[in-house]
Amino acid sequence: SLDSVMDKKIKDILNRLEYSPFPVSKKLLCTSVKSQGRLASCPAGMSVTGCACGYGCGWDVQGGTTCHCQCSVMDWTTARCCYLA
Amino acid sequence: SLDSVMDKKIKDILNRLEYSPFPVSKKLLCTSVKSQGRLASCPAGMSVTGCACGYGCGWDVQGGTTCHCQCSVMDWTTARCCYLA
Amino acid sequence: SLDSVMDKKIKDILNRLEYSPFPVSKKLLCTSVKSQGRLASCPAGMSVTGCACGYGCGWDVQGGTTCHCQCSVMDWTTARCCYLA
Protein backbone atom coordinates (compact mmCIF):
# COMPACT_ATOMS: atom_id res chain seq x y z
CA SER A 1 0.00 0.00 0.00
CA LEU A 2 1.00 3.63 -0.31
CA ASP A 3 1.05 3.71 3.47
CA SER A 4 3.68 1.04 3.93
CA VAL A 5 5.71 2.40 1.02
CA MET A 6 5.79 5.79 2.72
CA ASP A 7 6.63 4.27 6.06
CA LYS A 8 9.66 2.55 4.66
CA LYS A 9 10.63 5.53 2.56
CA ILE A 10 10.55 7.95 5.47
CA LYS A 11 12.57 5.67 7.71
CA ASP A 12 15.13 5.14 4.97
CA ILE A 13 15.57 8.86 4.47
CA LEU A 14 15.82 9.52 8.19
CA ASN A 15 18.49 6.91 8.59
CA ARG A 16 20.38 8.02 5.51
CA LEU A 17 20.28 11.65 6.62
CA GLU A 18 21.34 10.63 10.08
CA TYR A 19 18.47 12.41 11.67
CA SER A 20 18.06 9.55 14.09
CA PRO A 21 21.62 8.56 15.11
CA PHE A 22 22.51 12.09 16.14
CA PRO A 23 20.43 12.62 19.29
CA VAL A 24 20.67 9.01 20.39
CA SER A 25 24.45 8.81 20.17
CA LYS A 26 25.16 12.30 21.51
CA LYS A 27 27.74 11.99 24.27
CA LEU A 28 29.67 14.26 26.60
CA LEU A 29 33.39 14.07 25.90
CA CYS A 30 36.03 15.79 28.02
CA THR A 31 39.76 16.32 27.83
CA SER A 32 42.41 18.28 29.74
CA VAL A 33 44.60 21.08 28.44
CA LYS A 34 47.66 21.80 30.57
CA SER A 35 49.88 24.84 30.16
CA GLN A 36 52.81 26.39 31.92
CA GLY A 37 52.05 29.63 33.71
CA ARG A 38 48.68 30.80 34.94
CA LEU A 39 46.49 30.47 31.84
CA ALA A 40 45.13 27.42 29.96
CA SER A 41 42.58 27.59 27.16
CA CYS A 42 40.08 25.13 25.74
CA PRO A 43 40.09 24.64 21.96
CA ALA A 44 37.34 26.32 19.92
CA GLY A 45 34.04 24.50 20.23
CA MET A 46 34.76 23.19 23.73
CA SER A 47 33.59 24.55 27.09
CA VAL A 48 35.51 24.92 30.37
CA THR A 49 33.85 22.79 33.05
CA GLY A 50 36.57 23.22 35.66
CA CYS A 51 40.19 24.20 36.24
CA ALA A 52 43.13 23.01 38.31
CA CYS A 53 46.08 25.02 39.54
CA GLY A 54 49.41 24.23 41.10
CA TYR A 55 49.85 25.21 44.76
CA GLY A 56 46.08 24.68 45.38
CA CYS A 57 45.50 28.13 44.00
CA GLY A 58 42.01 29.57 43.34
CA TRP A 59 40.79 30.03 39.75
CA ASP A 60 38.32 31.79 37.53
CA VAL A 61 37.35 31.51 33.86
CA GLN A 62 38.19 34.41 31.58
CA GLY A 63 36.53 35.08 28.22
CA GLY A 64 34.51 31.90 28.49
CA THR A 65 37.26 29.47 27.49
CA THR A 66 40.38 30.27 29.51
CA CYS A 67 41.28 29.05 32.99
CA HIS A 68 43.11 31.65 35.04
CA CYS A 69 44.93 30.63 38.22
CA GLN A 70 45.02 33.46 40.70
CA CYS A 71 48.34 33.08 42.49
CA SER A 72 51.08 35.46 41.44
CA VAL A 73 53.55 32.62 41.00
CA MET A 74 52.05 29.65 39.17
CA ASP A 75 53.91 26.71 37.64
CA TRP A 76 50.98 25.13 35.76
CA THR A 77 47.31 25.56 34.92
CA THR A 78 44.96 22.90 33.60
CA ALA A 79 41.62 23.48 31.89
CA ARG A 80 39.06 20.68 31.82
CA CYS A 81 37.29 21.00 28.48
CA CYS A 82 34.10 19.27 27.35
CA TYR A 83 31.87 19.13 24.30
CA LEU A 84 29.05 17.11 22.80
CA ALA A 85 29.99 14.55 20.18
CA SER B 1 8.95 10.43 -9.84
CA LEU B 2 6.97 9.84 -6.67
CA ASP B 3 10.24 8.84 -5.08
CA SER B 4 12.00 12.15 -5.60
CA VAL B 5 8.87 14.09 -4.69
CA MET B 6 8.72 12.25 -1.38
CA ASP B 7 12.40 12.75 -0.79
CA LYS B 8 12.08 16.48 -1.14
CA LYS B 9 8.82 16.58 0.80
CA ILE B 10 10.22 14.69 3.77
CA LYS B 11 13.33 16.85 3.95
CA ASP B 12 11.24 20.00 3.74
CA ILE B 13 9.04 18.88 6.61
CA LEU B 14 11.99 17.84 8.76
CA ASN B 15 13.65 21.18 8.29
CA ARG B 16 10.46 23.14 8.82
CA LEU B 17 9.65 21.21 11.99
CA GLU B 18 13.16 21.70 13.21
CA TYR B 19 13.61 18.03 13.81
CA SER B 20 17.02 18.28 12.29
CA PRO B 21 18.48 21.53 13.67
CA PHE B 22 17.86 20.49 17.26
CA PRO B 23 20.32 17.66 17.75
CA VAL B 24 22.88 19.13 15.40
CA SER B 25 23.00 22.51 17.10
CA LYS B 26 22.86 21.19 20.68
CA LYS B 27 25.82 22.64 22.50
CA LEU B 28 27.31 22.62 25.97
CA LEU B 29 27.28 26.10 27.46
CA CYS B 30 28.93 26.99 30.77
CA THR B 31 29.09 30.02 33.00
CA SER B 32 30.46 30.88 36.46
CA VAL B 33 28.51 32.01 39.50
CA LYS B 34 30.63 33.67 42.18
CA SER B 35 29.40 34.46 45.68
CA GLN B 36 30.85 35.78 48.88
CA GLY B 37 31.12 33.25 51.67
CA ARG B 38 31.31 29.49 51.31
CA LEU B 39 28.29 28.71 49.09
CA ALA B 40 27.56 29.38 45.41
CA SER B 41 24.57 27.98 43.52
CA CYS B 42 23.86 27.30 39.87
CA PRO B 43 20.58 28.68 38.46
CA ALA B 44 17.69 26.27 37.91
CA GLY B 45 18.21 24.09 34.85
CA MET B 46 21.99 24.15 35.09
CA SER B 47 24.38 21.55 36.53
CA VAL B 48 27.48 22.04 38.68
CA THR B 49 30.50 20.66 36.83
CA GLY B 50 33.11 22.01 39.24
CA CYS B 51 33.78 24.53 42.01
CA ALA B 52 36.56 26.90 43.02
CA CYS B 53 37.33 28.22 46.48
CA GLY B 54 39.53 30.91 47.89
CA TYR B 55 42.58 29.76 49.91
CA GLY B 56 42.79 26.56 47.77
CA CYS B 57 40.13 25.06 49.95
CA GLY B 58 38.47 21.70 49.23
CA TRP B 59 34.85 21.57 48.05
CA ASP B 60 31.78 19.41 47.66
CA VAL B 61 28.39 19.81 45.97
CA GLN B 62 25.31 20.04 48.17
CA GLY B 63 21.77 19.38 46.99
CA GLY B 64 22.94 18.88 43.44
CA THR B 65 23.35 22.54 42.54
CA THR B 66 25.35 24.27 45.28
CA CYS B 67 29.12 24.46 45.66
CA HIS B 68 30.27 24.33 49.27
CA CYS B 69 33.81 25.32 50.19
CA GLN B 70 34.99 23.47 53.25
CA CYS B 71 37.26 25.91 55.05
CA SER B 72 35.82 27.61 58.10
CA VAL B 73 36.87 31.02 56.84
CA MET B 74 36.09 31.53 53.16
CA ASP B 75 36.08 34.81 51.25
CA TRP B 76 34.56 33.54 47.99
CA THR B 77 33.10 30.48 46.28
CA THR B 78 32.57 29.96 42.56
CA ALA B 79 30.30 27.39 40.93
CA ARG B 80 30.95 26.37 37.34
CA CYS B 81 27.52 25.77 35.81
CA CYS B 82 26.69 24.10 32.49
CA TYR B 83 23.64 23.19 30.45
CA LEU B 84 22.66 22.06 26.99
CA ALA B 85 21.39 24.76 24.63
CA SER C 1 -4.39 16.18 -1.16
CA LEU C 2 -1.38 13.91 -1.33
CA ASP C 3 0.57 16.76 0.19
CA SER C 4 -1.41 16.99 3.39
CA VAL C 5 -1.60 13.22 3.68
CA MET C 6 2.17 13.04 3.51
CA ASP C 7 2.55 15.87 5.99
CA LYS C 8 0.47 14.09 8.56
CA LYS C 9 2.06 10.73 7.79
CA ILE C 10 5.59 12.00 8.25
CA LYS C 11 4.78 13.75 11.50
CA ASP C 12 3.09 10.63 12.82
CA ILE C 13 6.09 8.48 12.04
CA LEU C 14 8.52 10.95 13.55
CA ASN C 15 6.55 11.13 16.77
CA ARG C 16 6.06 7.39 16.94
CA LEU C 17 9.74 6.77 16.36
CA GLU C 18 10.62 9.32 19.00
CA TYR C 19 12.83 11.21 16.67
CA SER C 20 11.62 14.45 18.16
CA PRO C 21 11.42 13.91 21.94
CA PHE C 22 15.00 12.72 22.20
CA PRO C 23 16.99 15.86 21.49
CA VAL C 24 14.52 18.15 23.21
CA SER C 25 14.60 16.31 26.52
CA LYS C 26 18.36 15.69 26.57
CA LYS C 27 19.80 17.09 29.79
CA LEU C 28 23.17 17.33 31.49
CA LEU C 29 23.20 15.42 34.77
CA CYS C 30 26.10 15.44 37.23
CA THR C 31 27.00 13.63 40.41
CA SER C 32 30.00 13.37 42.74
CA VAL C 33 32.07 10.30 43.52
CA LYS C 34 34.19 10.59 46.68
CA SER C 35 36.91 8.15 47.66
CA GLN C 36 39.54 7.83 50.31
CA GLY C 37 43.09 8.24 49.11
CA ARG C 38 44.21 10.07 46.01
CA LEU C 39 42.06 8.50 43.27
CA ALA C 40 38.33 8.73 42.47
CA SER C 41 36.72 7.34 39.32
CA CYS C 42 33.55 8.14 37.43
CA PRO C 43 31.27 5.21 36.56
CA ALA C 44 31.28 3.89 32.99
CA GLY C 45 29.41 6.18 30.62
CA MET C 46 30.13 9.33 32.62
CA SER C 47 32.79 11.99 32.05
CA VAL C 48 35.00 13.79 34.57
CA THR C 49 34.27 17.51 34.43
CA GLY C 50 36.33 18.45 37.49
CA CYS C 51 37.99 17.13 40.64
CA ALA C 52 38.41 18.22 44.25
CA CYS C 53 41.17 17.27 46.65
CA GLY C 54 41.74 17.60 50.36
CA TYR C 55 44.48 20.02 51.43
CA GLY C 56 43.83 22.24 48.35
CA CYS C 57 45.96 19.88 46.36
CA GLY C 58 46.34 20.08 42.56
CA TRP C 59 44.80 17.39 40.33
CA ASP C 60 44.83 15.79 36.94
CA VAL C 61 42.65 13.24 35.15
CA GLN C 62 44.13 9.85 34.40
CA GLY C 63 42.80 7.44 31.78
CA GLY C 64 39.91 9.73 30.98
CA THR C 65 37.74 8.86 33.97
CA THR C 66 39.87 9.01 37.12
CA CYS C 67 40.68 12.03 39.27
CA HIS C 68 44.18 11.95 40.69
CA CYS C 69 45.15 14.30 43.51
CA GLN C 70 48.81 15.13 43.39
CA CYS C 71 49.85 15.49 47.02
CA SER C 72 51.76 12.60 48.52
CA VAL C 73 49.47 12.48 51.51
CA MET C 74 45.80 12.76 50.56
CA ASP C 75 42.78 11.99 52.76
CA TRP C 76 40.08 12.22 50.07
CA THR C 77 39.49 12.76 46.37
CA THR C 78 36.23 13.68 44.68
CA ALA C 79 35.41 13.30 40.98
CA ARG C 80 32.62 15.39 39.51
CA CYS C 81 30.97 13.16 36.89
CA CYS C 82 28.47 14.19 34.20
CA TYR C 83 26.52 12.57 31.38
CA LEU C 84 23.65 13.25 29.02
CA ALA C 85 20.28 11.80 29.96
Side-chain angles (χ1 to χ4, degrees):
Chain A
S1 67
L2 176 61
D3 225 56
S4 63
V5 168
M6 285 183 61
D7 249 58
K8 187 178 179 321
K9 183 72 188 169
I10 291 171
K11 290 177 190 169
D12 283 353
I13 290 180
L14 284 171
N15 286 327
R16 200 169 62 239
L17 293 180
E18 298 189 349
Y19 277 100
S20 102
F22 262 92
V24 176
S25 64
K26 211 88 177 179
K27 287 183 61 181
L28 180 70
L29 298 184
C30 301
T31 189
S32 294
V33 174
K34 187 172 184 173
S35 301
Q36 291 188 308
R38 67 180 83 172
L39 297 173
S41 293
C42 290
M46 300 188 73
S47 299
V48 180
T49 58
C51 309
C53 305
Y55 307 121
C57 194
W59 54 266
D60 57 89
V61 177
Q62 298 185 336
T65 56
T66 301
C67 285
H68 168 243
C69 291
Q70 297 171 348
C71 297
S72 53
V73 179
M74 183 51 51
D75 51 356
W76 58 269
T77 299
T78 297
R80 190 69 184 161
C81 309
C82 300
Y83 68 105
L84 304 189
Chain B
S1 67
L2 174 62
D3 225 56
S4 62
V5 168
M6 285 184 60
D7 249 56
K8 187 177 179 322
K9 184 72 187 169
I10 291 171
K11 290 177 190 169
D12 284 353
I13 290 178
L14 284 170
N15 286 327
R16 200 168 63 240
L17 294 178
E18 299 189 347
Y19 278 100
S20 102
F22 262 91
V24 175
S25 66
K26 211 88 178 178
K27 288 182 61 179
L28 179 70
L29 297 184
C30 301
T31 190
S32 294
V33 174
K34 186 172 186 173
S35 302
Q36 291 188 308
R38 66 179 82 171
L39 297 174
S41 294
C42 290
M46 301 187 73
S47 298
V48 180
T49 58
C51 309
C53 305
Y55 306 121
C57 194
W59 53 267
D60 58 88
V61 178
Q62 298 186 336
T65 57
T66 300
C67 285
H68 169 242
C69 292
Q70 297 171 348
C71 298
S72 54
V73 179
M74 183 52 50
D75 50 356
W76 58 268
T77 299
T78 298
R80 190 69 183 161
C81 308
C82 300
Y83 68 106
L84 303 188
Chain C
S1 67
L2 174 61
D3 226 56
S4 62
V5 168
M6 285 183 61
D7 249 58
K8 188 178 179 321
K9 184 71 187 169
I10 292 172
K11 290 177 191 171
D12 284 353
I13 291 179
L14 284 170
N15 286 328
R16 201 168 63 239
L17 293 179
E18 298 188 348
Y19 277 100
S20 100
F22 263 91
V24 175
S25 65
K26 213 86 176 176
K27 287 183 61 179
L28 179 69
L29 298 184
C30 302
T31 189
S32 295
V33 174
K34 187 173 186 174
S35 300
Q36 291 188 309
R38 66 179 83 170
L39 297 173
S41 294
C42 290
M46 302 187 71
S47 299
V48 180
T49 59
C51 309
C53 305
Y55 305 122
C57 195
W59 54 266
D60 58 88
V61 177
Q62 297 185 337
T65 56
T66 300
C67 285
H68 168 243
C69 291
Q70 297 171 348
C71 296
S72 53
V73 179
M74 182 52 51
D75 50 355
W76 58 268
T77 299
T78 298
R80 190 68 183 161
C81 308
C82 301
Y83 68 104
L84 304 189

